[in-house]
Amino acid sequence: MSRSESPKTLADWQALAASLTSETGLETLAFIDDAFVAAVSGETFTTTNPATGEALAEVASCDAADAELAVGHARAAFEAGEWSRLAPGRRKKVLLRLAELLEAHKHELALLDTLDMGKPVTSSLGDMAGAIACFRYQAECIDKLYGEVAPTGEEALALVLREPLGVVASIVPWNFPLMMTAWKVAPALAAGNSVILKPSEKSPLSALRLAALAREAGLPPGVFQVLPGFGHTVGKALALSMGVDCLAFTGSTATGKQLMQYAGQSNLKRVYLECGGKSPNIVFADCKNLGRVAKHAAAAIFHNQGEVCIAGSRLLVENSIREAFIDQVLEAAKGMQPGDPLDPESFMGAIVDEAQYRRILGYIEKGREEGARLRVGGEATRVDGKGLFIPPTVFDGVTPEMAIGREEIFGPVLSVFGFDSEEQAVAMANDSVYGLAAGLWSQDIDRIMRVTRRLHSGQVFVNNWAGGDQTMPFGGVKQSGNGRDKSHHSLEEYSTLKSVWMSLAP
Ligand code: NAD
């Protein structure tokens, strides 16, 4: 298969994978200023395909020295103004060009994410569409935002200007590598900042490819840099840096808490956090078409192997329909088994790495010990004799005291609870340290509005799960974080207001 054709079958994707690793070479070096370079220390780390256990590449392992270099270049670029003071309409053109390049390279980028972290390639292609749409949306937004003239008296002209912050460090996770990157990087660049991206050590490859495409699109040196490496080395150095003005983070709540401390210990940089969740999906007995709802409830947790911040991991079902509903969820789960991530027919792929795999299996064990009733799954499996795979796993009879009912597992494990009243459902849904997403299924519009308003959650899905597009902000409340990705609201995070009071002669 030639590289210009669209891969459609397992064999096509395997052929593309073979060509990627041998012919074109992967970007494995850090991208600092305007060049791909080894880490100052010369250190590397191995990134591995979790579906096969094979090493994919040795990637530059950046640390504090690389962070210092990148921050210096980012600051110099910001002060030089080639990007930060460029007219928004011209920044838009460059970012739209980058979106075109992402479109042209979407198969190869999707493949990198699939090889790196094990998700099915069809799902990775969906992520590419999301990433491209985000670059286009933010690029199109930036020349349509106006400042303000304040309503003062005739003695002054008072302007409220919106300006970029300076240097933004973006630290992202591995579950949607390029899409999460786009949600941070696109608005931060559109707003005129210099951006330093630290991808997860578990999925650095697409971010490095993005650096090459950004350079090709015409981003000036120092405006977009990529530092692969570990959280406790280069991530921490960026978070503690006196030269970084904003940390834009997506990842676990534990790391989010750490980043706030680093900001306090250094320069009080802004910290925007998109963290974990344990999202409730509430099914009322009056919902229409139980079979369809059950399919959505299963996909809400098993999509992306359950490695989704907004996974519908707590299923709250009205007791009068609970047994019948669970049967339908189990039926739906049969069609969502893990398979070769390169096979476009696979619904689930491999778990990202050994540590996450052990963690998920540990929770399944805990669920058994704590007395929840295992209805399906629960045992690891292999595909073609290889890899880290866990099939859909469903526990019934879960209570809020159990670890599987309370803690974020980040794997394909569904905890089912029963409830008898709307009041009880709302109380159970809100009984969590998290508040990222919540869903409810009902045909009663009064109930829908009542419950929607009472849910402590950044987003509420009514008669769907995970609906939304670029026009909608995405983020959480409570320990799910304080940031908002997507929509024009995300531009507010990457800019600041300057008040200008101009005295006028009488
Ligand atoms: P993680 O917190 O372990 O890592 C996230 C990133 O932070 C990685 O790049 C990592 O290297 C870096 N990091 C880790 N320790 C650090 C430190 N001390 N200083 C600086 N950087 C550090 O999270 P993960 O395992 O990569 O991702 C899974 C988590 O992400 C889940 O909790 C999930 O819910 C969350 N997530 C949230 C959203 C959202 O939008 N709310 C989206 C996707 C994932």
Side-chain angles (χ1 to χ4, degrees), residues 390-445:
I390 299 178
T393 295
V394 178
F395 281 102
D396 185 17
V398 180
T399 64
E401 297 73 39
M402 295 179 186
I404 61 164
R406 205 176 56 246
E407 295 172 19
E408 184 183 48
I409 300 175
F410 224 54
V413 182
L414 179 64
S415 297
V416 186
F417 301 70
F419 67 85
D420 290 310
S421 68
E422 182 181 306
E423 197 61 29
Q424 192 189 6
V426 170
M428 287 169 82
N430 287 339
D431 181 18
S432 172
V433 297
Y434 298 111
L436 190 55
L440 68 117
W441 301 79
S442 167
Q443 288 303 304
D444 178 343
I445 187 67

Side-chain angles (χ1 to χ4, degrees), residues 171-176 180 183-184 198-202 229-237 239 249-256 258-259 262 273-277 307-310 356 408 410 434 436 474-476 480 485:
I171 299 179
V172 295
W174 45 264
N175 59 338
F176 294 92
M180 291 297 104
W183 287 10
K184 306 286 184 212
K198 196 211 82 66
S200 169
E201 59 277 19
K202 301 181 186 186
F230 292 91
H232 63 276
T233 56
V234 66
K236 181 176 175 182
F249 171 76
T250 301
S252 64
T253 294
T255 306
Q258 189 81 66
L259 296 190
Y262 293 152
L273 304 174
E274 307 285 348
C275 300
E307 296 163 330
V308 182
C309 54
I310 55 163
Q356 185 64 14
E408 184 183 48
F410 224 54
Y434 298 111
L436 190 55
F474 183 101
S480 290
D485 287 331

